[in-house]
Amino acid sequence: MKRRCLLQGSLAAAATAWGFPAIVSGAAGRAPRIVLRSSWQTVNIGDIGHTPGVLALLEKHIPEAELVLWPMDVRNGVEEMLQQRFPKLTITKDPAVVRGCDFLLHGSGPYLTAQKDVSEWRRETGKPYGVYGITMAAAGDPGMKVMRNNGLDAACKAELDQASFVFLRDSISLKVVKDAGVQSPVIEFGPDGAFGADIRDDAKAKTFLEAHGLEEGRFVCVLPNLRNAPYWKVKPNYAFNEEKHRRNEEMKEHDHAPLRDAMTAIIKKTGMKVLVCPEDSTQMETGKELLVDPLPADVKKQVVWREQFWLTNEAISTYVRSAGLISNEMHSPIMAVGNGIPAIVCRFVEQTTKGFMWRDIGLGDWLFDLDVPQELSAVAPTALAMASDPAKAKAKAAQAQAFVQQRQKDTMGVLRKVLGV
């Protein structure tokens, strides 16, 4: 709690003191145009969820702005989903439209994902830009090799130095950036953009739940995750990686046994059901192999395995009807808590430091590090406690949600200041 208060303290007071020049206000008598660089891939509902989350925040806090999305990938129904929720949104990769915007906002990600594009924006337009809710590791960090990224090297620092603001989504990343001497005038904690996602498909969610006998508030969602997403199974140009596969095989039982223990405890002691569901499109198979098939028959009959991948809107509509989540993934819990639903996170080193944001928002006792042996046995009793007292768990989630929403307001206030509106 102390850390959370420290993270909250300086931003609101500083927002009125930076004295940013008004870059758009009064220009041609029009509203500011913001281009969001986001939508990294469509095989993961968290990567999808960053975009509607930030768009919803911009819509709420800077309603006069014209919004443009510069996506990396909005195939597989994502573009249609976004346009339905944000009918005024322009989605384009047209350089002329992008460069005609007044401000570039780099969306959440595991590092400065679109670093090359930020660099080109700075050089070719001379217009301001900001970074919203990313993780950052030091140059040469072993975890960055998993992501095929160099971390905070000299080139990355040069871009962060010139940013109007840099918001980091976990306190460890915040320290990395400050310790590196990044010169941006605003370097603060800023929640992952997916916390703001409010996109829904209630009809589809209700149909699925009814078809599988899942009653609102009487089931828990459980999400698997391997150490390295085996994207070679779903991405045509993604080569098989023997080293990553070997690591997955080595750790898969270690990482999923605590989830099975939690599922068994909840089913036997509360009578609730469990929905095993995916965050990325490789995890349906993983969930069946590691969470469903090993269960004893009397437990397994209370488990529903989701066989098909889904989009973010159906997932959120399902999560908000659950009693909570237990997840080896990060962004489903983010979207759950962003909508007031309890969520327990299990992390490991391959996921970077993003999981530590749970401590930063006041949910440290719902965070478990699977690389710390003594934490494994605490997953099941904590999950059981969450499911056994839904009112208490929801109250705890609501406190974290309120903290996140205040931070969202503060960070959007900084953007308003930069825009001069």
Side-chain angles (χ1 to χ4, degrees):
M1 183 64 70
K2 183 178 180 181
R3 175 183 292 171
R4 190 176 79 170
C5 293
L6 288 172
L7 289 168
Q8 186 178 23
S10 60
L11 181 56
T16 59
W18 290 315
F20 291 118
I23 64 166
V24 177
S25 182
R30 62 167 174 77
R33 294 173 184 155
I34 302 169
V35 58
L36 173 64
R37 185 65 168 120
S38 188
S39 296
W40 314 123
Q41 59 179 353
T42 63
V43 297
N44 183 301
I45 62 172
D47 285 307
I48 296 169
H50 292 140
T51 297
V54 175
L55 290 173
L57 295 177
L58 293 168
E59 177 187 73
K60 178 179 180 179
H61 295 285
I62 315 178
E64 65 271 44
E66 296 178 17
L67 303 181
V68 174
L69 172 63
W70 176 13
M72 194 168 288
D73 191 353
V74 285
R75 295 171 296 172
N76 303 314
V78 173
E79 181 170 2
E80 293 80 1
M81 179 186 72
L82 291 172
Q83 291 285 193
Q84 184 176 24
R85 170 61 182 83
F86 304 99
K88 296 180 181 179
L89 175 68
T90 298
I91 301 177
T92 185
K93 296 182 181 181
D94 184 339
V97 176
V98 168
R99 291 169 188 166
C101 294
D102 304 298
F103 188 89
L104 183 145
L105 185 63
H106 184 292
S108 292
Y111 46 89
L112 192 63
T113 312
Q115 180 176 324
K116 177 176 177 290
D117 301 318
V118 169
S119 179
E120 290 179 357
W121 169 272
R122 177 174 59 81
R123 293 195 316 269
E124 296 176 11
T125 73
K127 296 176 183 179
Y129 59 92
V131 179
Y132 199 82
I134 66 169
T135 290
M136 184 54 66
D141 181 271
M144 286 292 94
K145 292 181 180 179
V146 175
M147 298 285 178
R148 297 184 293 184
N149 183 262
N150 295 328
L152 186 48
D153 59 12
C156 181
K157 181 179 182 298
E159 303 309 330
L160 297 184
D161 281 341
Q162 299 300 314
S164 296
F165 52 78
V166 179
F167 291 120
L168 292 309
R169 63 186 180 180
D170 64 87
S171 54
I172 295 176
S173 295
L174 179 60
K175 185 176 187 303
V176 167
V177 171
K178 288 190 172 183
D179 287 351
V182 171
Q183 296 300 303
S184 172
V186 184
I187 303 172
E188 296 285 350
F189 172 77
D192 188 293
F195 276 109
D198 61 3
I199 201 160
R200 300 284 190 91
D201 191 334
D202 290 330
K204 190 172 286 187
K206 287 180 180 178
T207 297
F208 179 88
L209 296 179
E210 290 172 2
H212 293 86
L214 295 170
E215 301 176 24
E216 185 163 344
R218 293 293 301 163
F219 69 96
V220 170
C221 298
V222 180
L223 289 87
N225 191 21
L226 297 172
R227 292 280 168 147
N228 302 282
Y231 284 143
W232 52 82
K233 294 183 177 182
V234 294
K235 292 185 177 184
N237 298 321
Y238 201 103
F240 175 76
N241 187 302
E242 178 61 39
E243 183 180 354
K244 289 183 177 182
H245 174 68
R246 189 183 309 113
R247 177 65 170 166
N248 287 346
E249 292 297 303
E250 175 189 10
M251 299 304 295
K252 66 182 185 181
E253 175 61 20
H254 171 275
D255 293 341
H256 291 83
L259 299 189
R260 292 200 307 271
D261 290 344
M263 293 165 63
T264 300
I266 289 170
I267 288 168
K268 288 190 172 183
K269 296 186 179 182
T270 73
M272 287 187 179
K273 289 188 174 182
V274 168
L275 171 62
V276 173
C277 52
E279 185 164 305
D280 83 38
S281 59
T282 69
Q283 289 171 348
M284 291 82 73
E285 176 184 344
T286 302
K288 186 174 188 300
E289 176 192 353
L290 299 175
L291 295 180
V292 179
D293 288 349
L295 294 171
D298 61 330
V299 174
K300 190 184 299 185
K301 68 182 181 182
Q302 291 293 98
V303 176
V304 174
W305 170 53
R306 183 177 176 93
E307 300 180 48
Q308 303 297 323
F309 191 52
W310 50 3
L311 289 182
T312 307
N313 53 358
E314 183 183 358
I316 292 178
S317 288
T318 300
Y319 298 156
V320 298
R321 289 170 169 80
S322 76
L325 277 64
I326 308 157
S327 177
N328 281 5
E329 275 281 16
M330 189 76 240
H331 280 87
S332 287
I334 286 172
M335 292 183 287
V337 169
N339 286 276
I341 299 301
I344 290 169
V345 172
C346 299
R347 71 166 300 276
F348 36 73
V349 68
E350 286 86 351
Q351 294 177 331
T352 74
T353 59
K354 62 185 177 182
F356 293 111
M357 74 175 76
W358 241 228
R359 296 177 184 171
D360 301 328
I361 67 171
L363 297 178
D365 52 354
W366 282 354
L367 173 66
F368 298 94
D369 192 331
L370 298 182
D371 292 321
V372 179
Q374 57 267 34
E375 294 193 19
L376 300 178
S377 61
V379 175
T382 304
L384 178 59
M386 179 190 75
S388 299
D389 194 342
K392 183 178 179 181
K394 279 200 170 186
K396 185 179 182 68
Q399 285 185 323
Q401 180 190 29
F403 173 74
V404 167
Q405 289 174 342
Q406 181 59 53
R407 296 298 298 160
Q408 291 167 337
K409 180 180 178 181
D410 291 343
T411 56
M412 287 290 131
V414 172
L415 179 52
R416 288 192 67 90
K417 194 80 172 178
V418 175
L419 296 173
V421 295

